[in-house]
Amino acid sequence: MAGPAERRKSVGVDVGGVMVGGGAPIVVQSMTNTDTADVDATVKQVIALHNAGSEIVRITVDRDESAAAVPIIRDRLMVLGHDVPLVGDFHYIGHKLLTDHPACAEALAKYRINPGNVGFRAKRDTQFATLIELALKHDKPVRIGVNWGSLDQELLTRLMDENNERSEPWSANRVMREAIIQSALLSAERAEEIGLSRDRIILSTKVSDVQNLISVYEDLGSRCDYALHLGLTEAGMGSKGIVASSAAMGILLQQGIGDTIRISLTPEPGGDRTLEVKVAQELLQTMGFRQFVPVVAACPGCGRTTSTTFQTLAQEIEAHLTSSMPVWRETYPGVENLSVAVMGCIVNGPGESKHADIGISLPGTGESPAAPVFVDGEKVATLRGDDVANQFKQMVADYIEKRFGAGKADAAE
């Protein structure tokens, strides 16, 4: 069976103890949407994102108050046991903020700068150089993140003029993609000239259109060996944002392109910010690149499954496994590899349950009110009564303890 292409060879970058690129597992990251100057709110959201599985968290640093808050946030997180790398997101005045707030510059694990928003005309080169020199001074890596919504207009205009002189002009989209790529590569080249080594540089070239994102990263990946951050910018809300991001990044990841990803979802008012982390994990796990949480297989339901028992049980099991993972990662090493099946009728139920580590086949419409349970491919019990759900959840807990916990030693004897 065909698998993903060999991973593109990239230079590894250490971001606060998390390796990005260089053959390391693809890293999941996210970004807060709190006012960074609000220390309590930002710490709370960083912890939520970290608990959800975000291995790197980016925060906005847009003014003096937010820059002053960064070291306080960093210290608070450390005291609370969350040693998660924080990335500062800078636009327009990053050079000034990092200069005026050295504690902020030191507390951050990485700086994210946008070449299109560093400065304009004569100030651009000077302010970009200042940012790179500050990264060197504090020994921090930099993500040079180009975004087509804030692209260097002088560069784009020059490439458009050059295109007009071609005997066979490129499409406007192709010129735009070339401008995005050149902005990233020329900025990285300038950073190296100033003294920043390749193992301290990550590139991203974000657009909000799926086909253009695929094309721009395919081209960029073939023209450099810098570590690459993937993301479909302004992906949108709900299923639209999830589908668009998964489609674009799934294709790139299958081609071996990408060292770290962020799913840029617009949350619904009052929505859960951690959804973007869960989607990123599910994308990587579904494609077989990483394993984050136990897999729960559940049938979609049909006319044979008028009861909602299997839906409720599947939801409860998945929620329980997910919420338990922050503790279980420490208590039960390897538990993320667990597979559980919760099936709704006799058609595929027993077979799917046998394929899982532990599975249950609940009775469908007209079937006998009995639910066989399979462990490691063998039928071990038949559950009956009104308490089937709780009985099965206890069996899952017992299986985890036996296989991944202290009980595994007893089982081996």
Side-chain angles (χ1 to χ4, degrees), residues 10 27 29 33 72 84 122 140 171 180 210 220 228 247 283 316 344 365 376:
S10 61
V27 173
Q29 58 180 284
N33 62 356
I72 301 172
V84 55
K140 306 295 181 180
S171 68
I180 293 169
V210 170
L220 177 64
L228 299 182
L283 174 61
E316 290 179 1
T365 303
D376 296 328

Side-chain angles (χ1 to χ4, degrees), residues 92 173 275 373 393:
Y92 308 113
N173 258 353
L275 177 61
V373 175
K393 283 191 284 186

Side-chain angles (χ1 to χ4, degrees), residues 366-407:
E367 292 177 18
S368 171
V373 175
F374 299 83
V375 173
D376 296 328
E378 300 293 332
K379 181 179 176 182
V380 297
T382 299
L383 306 182
R384 293 181 173 84
D386 298 330
D387 198 34
V388 167
N390 286 331
Q391 293 179 60
F392 181 66
K393 283 191 284 186
Q394 184 59 53
M395 291 185 72
V396 172
D398 293 343
Y399 181 86
I400 290 171
E401 174 61 32
K402 181 177 180 180
R403 178 174 169 185
F404 302 103

Side-chain angles (χ1 to χ4, degrees), residues 35-88:
D35 177 359
T36 304
D38 185 339
V39 172
D40 290 342
T42 302
V43 167
K44 181 179 179 180
Q45 192 170 89
V46 171
I47 289 174
L49 291 167
H50 190 216
N51 280 340
S54 184
E55 294 156 303
I56 296 173
V57 177
R58 181 158 45 114
I59 59 177
T60 297
V61 188
D62 58 350
R63 64 192 195 280
D64 287 311
E65 291 81 1
S66 59
V70 169
I72 301 172
I73 292 167
R74 170 76 273 177
D75 291 346
R76 184 88 61 84
L77 289 167
M78 293 293 287
V79 168
L80 294 172
H82 292 272
D83 185 15
V84 55
L86 297 179
V87 177

Side-chain angles (χ1 to χ4, degrees), residues 22-155:
I26 299 164
V27 173
V28 171
Q29 58 180 284
S30 59
M31 185 175 182
T32 59
N33 62 356
T34 57
D35 177 359
T36 304
D38 185 339
V39 172
D40 290 342
T42 302
V43 167
K44 181 179 179 180
Q45 192 170 89
V46 171
I47 289 174
L49 291 167
H50 190 216
N51 280 340
S54 184
E55 294 156 303
I56 296 173
V57 177
R58 181 158 45 114
I59 59 177
T60 297
V61 188
D62 58 350
R63 64 192 195 280
D64 287 311
E65 291 81 1
S66 59
V70 169
I72 301 172
I73 292 167
R74 170 76 273 177
D75 291 346
R76 184 88 61 84
L77 289 167
M78 293 293 287
V79 168
L80 294 172
H82 292 272
D83 185 15
V84 55
L86 297 179
V87 177
D89 193 66
F90 295 98
H91 296 277
Y92 308 113
I93 59 170
H95 62 290
K96 184 178 186 301
L97 293 174
L98 287 170
T99 299
D100 294 347
H101 298 273
C104 167
E106 185 58 39
L108 293 168
K110 184 179 73 175
Y111 311 153
R112 188 271 185 173
I113 58 178
N114 182 337
N117 291 340
V118 168
F120 303 98
R121 297 184 175 83
K123 292 182 178 180
R124 179 189 298 112
D125 290 345
T126 300
Q127 292 174 182
F128 180 82
T130 299
L131 283 163
I132 299 304
E133 287 163 359
L134 286 163
L136 286 167
K137 177 181 178 181
H138 295 280
D139 191 24
K140 306 295 181 180
V142 168
R143 171 158 73 92
I144 297 173
V146 182
N147 189 304
W148 76 345
S150 52
L151 187 57
D152 181 343
Q153 292 303 301
E154 290 183 24
L155 173 61

